[in-house]
Amino acid sequence: MPLSAWLLGDAALLVLGFLGVFLSRARAGSALVYSAAFVITALLCGVSVARLLTGGEAATITLPFGLPWLGAHFRIDTISTFFLAVVNFGAAAASFFAIGYGRHESEPGRVLPFFPVFLAAMNFVLVADDAFTFLLSWELMSLASWALVMAHSREPANARAGFVYILMASLGTFALLLAFGLLAGADGHYAFDVIRAHPPTPVLAGLILALALFGAGSKAGLAPLHVWLPLAHPAAPSHVSALMSGVMTKVAVYGFLRLVFDLNGPADWWWGIPVLTAGAGTAVLGVLFALLQNDFKRVLAYSTIENIGVIFVALGLALAFKTHNFGAAAALAMTAALFHVLNHAVFKNLLFFGAGAVLAATGERDLGKLGGLLKNMPATGLFVLVGCAAISALPPLNGFASEWLVFQAILLSPSLPSWALKLLIPAVGALLALAAALAGACFVRAFGIGFLGRPRSDAAKDAHEVDRFSLVAMGVLSVLCLLAGIFPGVIIDALSPIVRALVGVSMAPQAALGWFAIAPIAESRSSYDGLLVFLFIALSAMLAAFIIHRLASDAVRVAPAWDCGFPDADPNTQYSPESFAQPIRRVFSGFVFSTQESVDMPAPGDLRPARYELRVRDRAWDIVYKPVVGAVQKLADVLNRLQFLTIQQYLSLVFAALVVLLLALAIWT
């Protein structure tokens, strides 16, 4: 399929955004916009998957707009095709979910015009083939998503989230601008094919790697640049939160891959060290903060940070192995990274849809005010349970398959000649294992507090199942979580062309192994068969159910339910989100995050209720974000005076700026 077809699809999304301004006033406007977005993105996803499976040469096209001497270059290759499939799959799922969920939007005029533009901008980033088009599309993506974050800006927390988000998005774009400037050099070659032909010096390449980590990492949610993410993602409508967490972060991963693995020239041996360090720290920090959140959507936002850390650990391993000519190991690590990119897009969309369904049914996101939802929302509860198991990396679901590949790559690290990597990678593996264990605890807490037990509020008690569009979207994603975990070899083989384009080699074909097993290194060393694991679990469960129902006594036994030592039936006697996370919080509060606990215990005879208050602060906010936000606010107050200048003063400023730019250009050349 020609590249022009993708561009026409993106143009159709832009037109749909324009029409959304008018359709938002119509009664059926929301359903029309989301239905059209679903059709367009589903078609784009379909042709992307077809291109991946059938192969094809890279296609390019240049359009006569953009910079006068450059134009707008677009290109589709195996790397961009994979991410186009992931992005448009997530976009189609979110659009279909929103056909039903969008009915609950109180101000559709603040969402409908920007939703299709957001989808188009992400697509344009993936096919951009010059620095100007890439950055323009990247900024459009940031601005459209910022507008969606600000859809409910009358809430003070959302306005603050939007401010922090646009600030960090601007800083990240500035870092990418500097990276592309260094790649372009003094001659200003902004086209990617010219940049590839003129790789930078090793010193500049190292600086570009740092800028790519900052620019793409801030958009993806790498620590300590992550603080905007748990503020902005919950502020947006749930289907937009799913896009930002499950899809937009993958565009950031693509940006890092394009800069570091494609445009930045041959990698040096030490490049993997900062990427591995950032990834491991991000994974642990993200899941620890997820364990402390009461807001269901903030739990999911922080877990996105954890999964981005897993992806960057795999990318760091791929860099380390590639630079030491360990081709098979590099292919394994890159396959694990791309597989987890796909898996995270599936189960994170599913979980955000589940959070949206809970919000629509109860009006609550606070886990402390939920509970007992499984009785009134059985289908939603089942789908959320599948998502929780998948994100916790439990077999036979997809999250386990990709994380297992990451650990298999880690086990190959002793063969590396570099002692720095030999010592670092096992430590990274231990941190990743800790993050995986904590992720299981996190989602046992989230599902158990939210869906099990007794309702903690009238809203949870009166909850009802959501619309069919939402249920179908969650059901399809649940099935995909299972299929990708049972048949990982099919996906691994489909990823081979992308892996080969990034690291030069690919994993051995997995289709030849029986029972859909995978052997990432060799059958004698390690293998995994998701289908057999699934069959074992299913048969064991059915056998246990048969024994219990057929062989156990049929006598009816009546006994009071276990009350945990509290005979009072008040729901407040159940475990709360805070009490569940208390042991983890006390273990890590000394050096990961700062906590403040205050207890107001009335004296004997005082009838006031006891009061307990907990405050958890992210040290990254105090160290990184707070000074930057304060400096920007002060600078804005100073620059605000510029609007009161005279015309002569404005002309003088323009002339001075022109002189400074000409001097900088003369020094550069």
Side-chain angles (χ1 to χ4, degrees):
M1 187 175 182
L3 176 57
S4 57
W6 271 273
L7 298 179
L8 286 174
D10 296 342
L13 288 171
L14 292 177
V15 172
L16 183 61
F18 174 75
L19 294 176
V21 177
F22 307 98
L23 291 174
S24 61
R25 303 168 188 171
R27 186 173 183 179
S30 176
L32 287 174
V33 170
Y34 290 127
S35 298
F38 167 72
V39 171
I40 295 171
T41 52
L43 288 174
L44 291 175
C45 176
V47 296
S48 300
V49 172
R51 183 181 174 88
L52 274 178
L53 297 178
T54 59
E57 297 295 327
T60 60
I61 190 173
T62 303
L63 300 180
F65 56 84
L67 294 179
W69 64 91
L70 181 66
H73 294 73
F74 297 97
R75 181 174 186 265
I76 185 167
D77 57 12
T78 53
I79 304 170
S80 57
T81 303
F82 168 72
F83 281 91
L84 282 168
V86 173
V87 165
N88 286 292
F89 168 77
S95 301
F96 189 84
F97 175 83
I99 295 173
Y101 183 80
R103 302 170 187 168
H104 306 286
E105 179 58 51
S106 57
E107 297 180 280
R110 290 173 168 261
V111 178
L112 295 182
F114 303 105
F115 183 82
V117 175
F118 182 36
L119 304 183
M122 290 190 288
N123 276 278
F124 277 125
V125 171
L126 300 178
V127 295
D129 198 37
D130 64 74
F132 178 79
T133 306
F134 183 97
L135 291 173
L136 183 65
S137 304
W138 186 278
E139 195 66 3
L140 179 62
M141 176 181 71
S142 298
L143 290 173
S145 55
W146 170 78
L148 292 168
V149 169
M150 295 292 288
H152 303 149
S153 59
R154 292 181 179 85
E155 300 178 21
N158 291 358
R160 175 172 174 265
F163 173 71
V164 175
Y165 173 51
I166 198 64
L167 174 62
M168 289 308 299
S170 301
L171 289 176
T173 304
F174 184 67
L176 293 177
L177 176 64
L178 293 177
F180 280 116
L182 293 176
L183 285 169
D187 296 330
H189 295 304
Y190 296 112
F192 286 174
D193 56 346
V194 180
I195 291 176
R196 291 186 189 95
H198 300 83
T201 63
V203 174
L204 283 181
L207 181 57
I208 292 166
L209 171 66
L211 291 170
L213 263 179
F214 185 94
S218 64
K219 182 68 73 177
L222 277 182
L225 308 170
H226 66 281
V227 179
W228 68 267
L229 194 149
L231 295 175
H233 288 203
S238 295
H239 57 294
V240 177
S241 300
L243 281 175
M244 294 180 69
S245 246
V247 177
M248 186 182 71
T249 54
K250 309 310 178 299
V251 179
V253 172
Y254 166 82
F256 181 81
L257 285 171
R258 183 62 74 185
L259 275 167
V260 174
F261 284 84
D262 184 24
L263 302 177
N264 204 22
D268 209 343
W269 71 269
W270 59 270
W271 285 18
I273 294 177
V275 181
L276 283 165
T277 304
T282 299
V284 175
L285 192 70
V287 72
L288 281 174
F289 273 101
L291 264 166
L292 304 183
Q293 306 306 311
N294 290 351
D295 187 318
F296 194 8
K297 290 178 73 173
R298 284 176 67 88
V299 171
L300 300 180
Y302 270 113
S303 76
T304 292
I305 297 171
E306 182 241 339
N307 282 275
I308 289 296
V310 173
I311 292 170
F312 272 83
V313 165
L315 294 178
L317 289 169
L319 276 173
F321 289 127
K322 180 183 178 183
T323 53
H324 288 87
N325 296 318
F326 283 68
L332 170 58
M334 183 57 71
T335 301
L338 297 177
F339 196 4
H340 204 68
V341 162
L342 174 62
N343 288 339
H344 182 252
V346 176
F347 56 63
K348 186 50 61 74
N349 272 13
L350 169 59
L351 287 171
F352 264 110
F353 294 169
V358 170
L359 180 61
T362 65
E364 290 288 348
R365 298 185 331 208
D366 188 347
L367 291 173
K369 296 180 180 179
L370 298 175
L373 294 180
L374 192 61
K375 180 178 180 181
N376 294 331
M377 304 177 68
T380 298
L382 174 62
F383 299 146
V384 171
L385 178 61
V386 172
C388 289
I391 201 171
S392 301
L394 296 179
L397 299 171
N398 57 346
F400 174 82
S402 52
E403 289 198 30
W404 182 76
L405 290 178
V406 177
F407 283 107
Q408 292 301 312
I410 288 173
L411 293 176
L412 297 176
S413 63
S415 302
L416 289 169
S418 169
W419 277 101
L421 291 169
K422 278 186 175 182
L423 296 175
L424 175 64
I425 293 178
V428 167
L431 289 175
L432 210 58
L434 173 63
L438 291 174
C442 174
F443 285 96
V444 166
R445 170 182 179 264
F447 185 82
I449 298 295
F451 285 86
L452 303 181
R454 297 187 293 269
R456 294 174 174 82
S457 65
D458 290 338
K461 185 178 180 180
D462 299 332
H464 54 83
E465 196 59 271
V466 291
D467 60 274
R468 293 181 180 179
F469 287 102
S470 302
L471 291 176
V472 169
M474 291 187 286
V476 170
L477 293 177
S478 300
V479 172
L480 290 177
C481 286
L482 180 61
L483 292 178
I486 294 177
F487 307 113
V490 176
I491 298 176
I492 290 173
D493 288 345
L495 293 175
S496 293
I498 306 102
V499 174
R500 193 178 304 112
L502 288 166
V503 297
V505 294
S506 61
M507 287 179 57
Q510 305 294 307
L513 301 177
W515 285 90
F516 298 99
I518 57 173
I521 305 168
E523 289 187 74
S524 59
R525 178 164 179 172
S526 60
S527 62
Y528 168 69
D529 197 317
L531 180 58
L532 287 181
V533 171
F534 171 71
L535 292 175
F536 173 77
I537 293 174
L539 291 175
S540 299
M542 288 189 291
L543 180 62
F546 175 80
I547 292 174
I548 291 173
H549 287 282
R550 293 293 184 181
L551 302 182
S553 171
D554 58 356
V556 177
R557 289 160 292 189
V558 179
W562 182 49
D563 55 21
C564 303
F566 295 93
D568 187 359
D570 193 322
N572 290 326
T573 61
Q574 302 175 107
Y575 269 100
S576 66
E578 294 85 359
S579 61
F580 196 105
Q582 185 189 54
I584 299 295
R585 185 179 70 244
R586 290 191 171 179
V587 168
F588 292 97
S589 62
F591 56 96
V592 176
F593 37 73
S594 58
T595 59
Q596 295 178 347
E597 295 181 90
S598 61
V599 180
D600 179 16
M601 182 64 68
D606 190 343
L607 299 181
R608 291 184 302 111
R611 183 176 180 83
Y612 171 80
E613 186 175 358
L614 170 68
R615 294 182 180 178
V616 180
R617 290 188 63 85
D618 191 337
R619 296 186 187 275
W621 172 262
D622 297 326
I623 297 172
V624 178
Y625 282 74
K626 192 174 180 179
V628 173
V629 170
V632 169
Q633 288 177 331
K634 290 180 180 179
L635 181 62
D637 292 337
V638 173
L639 294 178
N640 191 44
R641 302 173 186 173
L642 293 177
Q643 63 180 317
F644 302 107
L645 298 181
T646 64
I647 294 178
Q648 291 83 357
Q649 290 171 324
Y650 279 126
L651 292 175
S652 300
L653 283 176
V654 172
F655 179 74
L658 180 62
V659 171
V660 170
L661 290 174
L662 290 174
L663 286 174
L665 182 62
I667 294 171
W668 179 267
T669 55

